[in-house]
Amino acid sequence: MRTLRSLSRTLSRGLGLAALLACLGGAPAMAGTVDLPVVVRLAEGATLPPDALLEVELLDGSRADAPSIVISAGRYRIEVLPAIIKLPYDDARIDPRMSYIVSAKVAQEGTVLLRTTTAFPAITRDAPARPEIVLEQTGTMPAAEAPRITGVEWAAFEIGGRMLVTEDPPSMAFNDDGGFSMYGGCNRFTGRAEIGAGTLAIVQPLAGTRRACPEPRMKLDQDMIAALAQTTGYVRTGKNLSLTNAAGVTVLRLTERPD
């Protein structure tokens, strides 16, 4: 009876049906902070430095023509991998129509030693409830020890996360003097590349031929040029080379072309 009288007074104060539902425990949950569990692993051959500081970001990567938007970011001291961390984010900022990814890196004294080089989906569009991300060793180390990417012909096998199925893939090469050349799938291009210890920038614009090819080959040209325009760094792992953007996400994957 006391509960009914309390509800009656609540209604009489003009709070209405919503207040009644809240008292009964049936009000819809309000958006708030939610934890996203993320499994963090090391790539084969990578090593975790002591006192590692892991930085994880949840990004809105829906807009192909604009930088990714940071939804949430967190820092974690880790001693061993694999590990599970919980990244809090504001559920009100999530749009089910958009695509979200998890990005991470490990820095020591301001130097990035490990980072993700693949877009790992999260939250929406059938993404896993617990994303599993992989940290790869970067080329960020003293220049004398940085893995060389010059003097090799690289063949592309993935652009923007999409695997290429072709017998004549795009390819490129970097020279020690900074020269750069590329076969985009239809046309050939030349230019300059600024290569540092794990950093890479292709100087725009490129000079190129103007052949007309069937549409799929012309689109390969366009996709390769677009990927290079986003490139700010690289990660070489054995015979594979990943070109990454400012967020550390791989925009182009290549492998050494056999002699």
Side-chain angles (χ1 to χ4, degrees):
M1 292 298 294
R2 182 178 300 174
T3 301
L4 291 176
R5 285 197 296 271
S6 175
L7 292 178
S8 178
R9 283 196 296 270
T10 298
L11 290 173
S12 67
R13 289 171 185 164
L15 296 183
L17 181 60
L20 175 59
L21 289 174
C23 292
L24 296 177
M30 299 297 289
T33 301
V34 181
D35 285 336
L36 175 66
V38 180
V39 179
V40 186
R41 301 184 185 278
L42 275 177
E44 185 178 355
T47 57
L48 185 67
D51 300 321
L53 180 62
L54 173 67
E55 301 178 41
V56 184
E57 291 183 329
L58 176 63
L59 305 169
D60 179 350
S62 303
R63 301 163 181 81
D65 57 347
S68 298
I69 299 172
V70 179
I71 301 298
S72 177
R75 293 184 175 187
Y76 310 83
R77 286 289 179 187
I78 53 174
E79 298 180 356
V80 63
L81 289 178
I84 300 177
I85 61 96
K86 292 184 177 180
L87 179 64
Y89 66 93
D90 184 356
D91 188 51
R93 299 189 64 185
I94 301 302
D95 185 334
R97 300 170 299 176
M98 301 301 179
S99 298
Y100 300 90
I101 60 174
V102 179
S103 174
K105 63 183 178 182
V106 169
Q108 190 175 55
E109 297 181 355
T111 299
V112 177
L113 303 178
L114 300 161
R115 77 182 318 152
T116 52
T117 62
T118 297
F120 294 95
I123 303 175
T124 60
R125 297 178 176 270
D126 297 323
R130 191 176 68 174
E132 296 195 13
I133 66 176
V134 179
L135 294 169
E136 298 187 20
Q137 206 87 40
T138 72
T140 306
M141 56 185 69
E145 301 176 23
R148 286 171 53 88
I149 63 173
T150 59
V152 176
E153 185 175 6
W154 300 99
F157 65 87
E158 179 185 302
I159 305 177
R162 188 184 74 256
M163 298 295 293
L164 297 180
V165 181
T166 176
E167 295 180 356
D168 186 23
S171 60
M172 63 181 64
F174 304 93
N175 300 327
D176 289 329
D177 63 2
F180 166 76
S181 60
M182 179 179 77
Y183 164 62
C186 175
N187 287 283
R188 298 189 178 276
F189 303 85
T190 57
R192 306 289 299 174
E194 297 176 352
I195 305 174
T199 64
L200 174 64
I202 307 299
V203 179
Q204 303 289 340
L206 299 174
T209 59
R210 297 185 178 182
R211 292 182 57 201
C213 299
E215 180 55 32
R217 306 304 297 183
M218 295 296 291
K219 189 173 187 309
L220 267 182
D221 272 0
Q222 298 165 7
D223 290 346
M224 289 292 290
I225 292 173
L228 292 179
Q230 300 177 58
T231 297
T232 60
Y234 71 88
V235 176
R236 178 172 181 175
T237 306
K239 294 186 177 183
N240 292 333
L241 176 65
S242 299
L243 304 190
T244 59
N245 63 16
V249 176
T250 297
V251 295
L252 187 61
R253 290 184 184 275
L254 311 103
T255 190
E256 286 188 30
R257 172 165 277 177
D259 296 334

